[in-house]
Amino acid sequence: MAYYPTVFLALIIAWLTLTPVAPGPPGVPGLDKIGHVVAFAALAAPFAWRMPQRWWVVALAALGYGVLIELVQPLVGRSREGADLLADGTGAFLGAWIAARIAQARRDRMGN
């Protein structure tokens, strides 16, 4: 069951990060980075829940997806930002770690 939510979230993240930004006034400072943290935490969580012992592998894979997005963004008229990648990695590791801890605690309570 981790596959479908992850693919769905990866597609949404790609759409949000690889489509041109509409011109307009700047948004709330820092809100973009919070969005990156939340998006990549959500991306990493399903597989980390499924494989709590390998949460760090899941986090690295999600971070790799963030790296790929940052490399592609200049090709679609977006800017490459190290701060975005830092936020992606923070979210990926937090989401994977939290999901793995909750999943493992749940399994321990159920005796598995």
Side-chain angles (χ1 to χ4, degrees), residues 15-92:
W15 179 66
L16 290 171
T17 59
L18 297 175
T19 56
V21 177
V28 177
L31 189 59
D32 171 54
K33 303 310 175 242
I34 292 169
H36 280 265
V37 170
V38 170
F40 278 81
L43 179 67
F47 271 106
W49 178 275
R50 184 86 170 106
M51 302 180 301
Q53 299 83 5
R54 296 206 174 266
W55 70 268
W56 56 275
V57 174
V58 173
L60 285 174
L63 176 58
Y65 186 60
V67 168
L68 180 64
I69 287 171
E70 290 300 318
L71 292 173
V72 171
Q73 280 184 327
L75 303 175
V76 296
R78 302 279 299 254
S79 62
R80 185 178 297 151
E81 291 185 41
D84 284 351
L85 190 56
L86 180 62
D88 296 347
T90 300

Side-chain angles (χ1 to χ4, degrees), residues 85-104:
L85 190 56
L86 180 62
D88 296 347
T90 300
F93 277 85
L94 279 174
W97 184 79
I98 290 168
R101 298 293 70 79
I102 294 170
Q104 192 60 54

